[in-house]
Amino acid sequence: MAKEPGKSVILDAAEKVFALNGYAGSSMRMIANEAQVAQALIHYHFDTKDKLFEEVVARRSSSINSARKQSLDQLRADGRLDLEALLLAFFRPNLVLGHDTEKGGQFYARLIATTSSANDERSVYFTRKLYDPIARLYIEAIHEVLPGISDKDAVWGYLFLVGVSLTSMSKTGRAAGLSDGKCNEDDLEEILSRTVTFVAAGLRALEQTNV
Amino acid sequence: MAKEPGKSVILDAAEKVFALNGYAGSSMRMIANEAQVAQALIHYHFDTKDKLFEEVVARRSSSINSARKQSLDQLRADGRLDLEALLLAFFRPNLVLGHDTEKGGQFYARLIATTSSANDERSVYFTRKLYDPIARLYIEAIHEVLPGISDKDAVWGYLFLVGVSLTSMSKTGRAAGLSDGKCNEDDLEEILSRTVTFVAAGLRALEQTNV
DNA sequence: GTCTATAGTTCGATAGAC
DNA sequence: GTCTATCGAACTATAGAC
């Protein structure tokens, strides 16, 4: 079925174009063409390119961040908060969205990976605004499950954790290329279990260095 | 002392502008202004924006990659190749360059982090051309020092390793912000030892899952 | 809401003087 | 080798018909 014109069609198109070309590398014409609407319609609904980008990111980030916060609270309430559970709570929302073609969110993971690695003012602004609050929550939780870890190691460990998750989220095809096809970037559980194993061991090792 | 006009002044300016704004977000005018030369002079020396970018990257990547290859060969020749030595051989060239203000290479690390996380055709092309050969070398070396690791885990482990190193290389100020100033992104050895500890434990854990 | 047409700006690249 | 000046294309955004 053909999609009807409207805001969501434009948001989907913009998400894809921004993810594949970055903010500066994307033009309103490319997005209009992808969405099969007139360029002026995008300005009617979203005003400027800047505000369009903000709405693209806001649509997904709020659900991811609230899922991450709720999972953490739930685990704590149930007394089941350990390191592996913490990592699963963090990774799963992003990976699920990044691999879920139904929701049309398969490009958001790439968009976030690109944005959070960029150094321009807009990208840094978005990263801090959207992800620093969640970061502080998870750094605090790392202290709970690894009581021996130092403040510095908890922060560096969290940043390493994010670096690993961005790698596994991006679906650039590099894993398949370097493994001659053995690694399957579409196998969600395969990636998730490896990521958790790797990061959990890394964080425990950081805790050990402070004993 | 003021720098004299010429190719190296333009390359330094381009490296900085590209690192801070990305390829698409950088204009020849911005670079000309940063270098304090006429825009036409950049075209005289480098022809197109594309070729300028290629020369900016080539200037640093060749020395980094040959350092990585030579360190690996030397360790093997000396019979001192273990996991920690392998990781140090990989991380040090990039970290040293990223923190060395004398050489003027302090922006290259950010440029590479941005480029290797981007999904546009040019960035993917550069990442594969410049870094896939070194990647295959180090994946092979991972198999040597961790004989029990599976092919898939070695590739995923290598990609996680790269993800962690990009995080610690970038100097975005996020570590300082999240730790209320406790983490010092300028302390090279502090970052390097943490990175090695974290990644070594992660890779050993991946090896263990296959026993 | 959605379109066509276009104004006004900025871009990469080139011509030509020195 | 370095400059000023400018061309033609692409860009964001807007005006106005429907």
Side-chain angles (χ1 to χ4, degrees), chain A residues 19-22 24-26 110-111 113-114 116-121 124 127-128 131-132 135-136 139 150-153 155-164 167-168 170-180 182-185 187 190-191 193-195 197-203 205-206 209-210, chain B residues 19-22 24-26 110-111 113-114 116-121 124 127-128 131-132 135-136 139 150-153 155-164 167-168 170-180 182-185 187 190-191 193-195 197-203 205-206 209-210:
Chain A
L20 296 180
N21 306 284
S26 304
R110 290 208 239 180
L111 176 60
T114 302
S116 62
S117 305
N119 304 114
D120 59 289
E121 235 177 279
V124 171
T127 303
R128 303 207 171 182
Y131 288 104
D132 272 12
R136 291 178 183 275
I139 290 167
S150 72
D151 288 352
K152 283 165 71 171
D153 281 328
V155 172
W156 279 118
Y158 174 81
L159 292 174
F160 294 164
L161 176 170
V162 171
V164 171
T167 302
S168 47
S170 296
K171 284 222 285 179
T172 58
R174 197 164 183 230
L178 287 174
S179 66
D180 301 319
K182 284 178 195 150
C183 292
N184 177 10
E185 285 167 310
D187 187 337
E190 172 183 316
I191 296 174
S193 68
R194 277 185 171 77
T195 308
T197 298
F198 185 95
V199 174
L203 287 171
L206 286 182
T209 60
N210 297 299
Chain B
L20 296 180
N21 305 285
S26 303
R110 288 207 239 181
L111 177 59
T114 302
S116 62
S117 304
N119 304 113
D120 59 290
E121 235 175 277
V124 171
T127 303
R128 302 207 172 182
Y131 289 103
D132 272 12
R136 291 179 184 275
I139 290 169
S150 72
D151 288 352
K152 285 166 70 171
D153 281 328
V155 171
W156 278 118
Y158 175 80
L159 291 174
F160 294 164
L161 176 170
V162 172
V164 171
T167 302
S168 47
S170 294
K171 286 220 288 177
T172 58
R174 196 163 185 232
L178 287 173
S179 66
D180 301 319
K182 284 179 196 149
C183 292
N184 178 10
E185 284 166 311
D187 186 338
E190 172 182 315
I191 296 174
S193 67
R194 277 185 170 78
T195 308
T197 298
F198 185 93
V199 174
L203 286 171
L206 286 183
T209 59
N210 298 299

Side-chain angles (χ1 to χ4, degrees), chain A residues 141-154 203-211:
Chain A
I142 288 173
H143 274 113
E144 289 178 48
V145 299
L146 298 176
I149 203 167
S150 72
D151 288 352
K152 283 165 71 171
D153 281 328
L203 287 171
R204 288 204 173 92
L206 286 182
E207 186 192 27
Q208 287 307 110
T209 60
N210 297 299
V211 177

Side-chain angles (χ1 to χ4, degrees), chain B residues 59-72:
Chain B
R59 182 173 60 153
R60 309 275 182 206
S61 70
S62 59
S63 69
I64 286 185
N65 280 344
S66 66
R68 282 180 172 160
K69 184 172 179 344
Q70 281 175 24
S71 297
L72 209 55

Side-chain angles (χ1 to χ4, degrees), chain B residues 68-83:
Chain B
R68 282 180 172 160
K69 184 172 179 344
Q70 281 175 24
S71 297
L72 209 55
D73 292 342
Q74 189 62 50
L75 287 169
R76 246 192 292 253
D78 296 350
R80 291 188 291 109
L81 182 62
D82 61 17
L83 180 54

Side-chain angles (χ1 to χ4, degrees), chain B residues 5 28 35 62 90 94 99 104 122 134-135 151 167 179 184 186 188 199:
Chain B
M28 299 299 264
S62 59
F90 185 88
N94 234 333
H99 286 73
R122 173 183 304 98
I134 284 293
D151 288 352
T167 302
S179 66
N184 178 10
D186 290 320
L188 176 59
V199 174

Side-chain angles (χ1 to χ4, degrees), chain A residues 8 11-13 15 54-63 104:
Chain A
S8 73
L11 283 173
D12 289 343
E15 182 175 66
E54 179 139 15
E55 288 215 37
V56 166
V57 175
R59 182 173 61 153
R60 309 274 183 207
S61 70
S62 59
S63 69

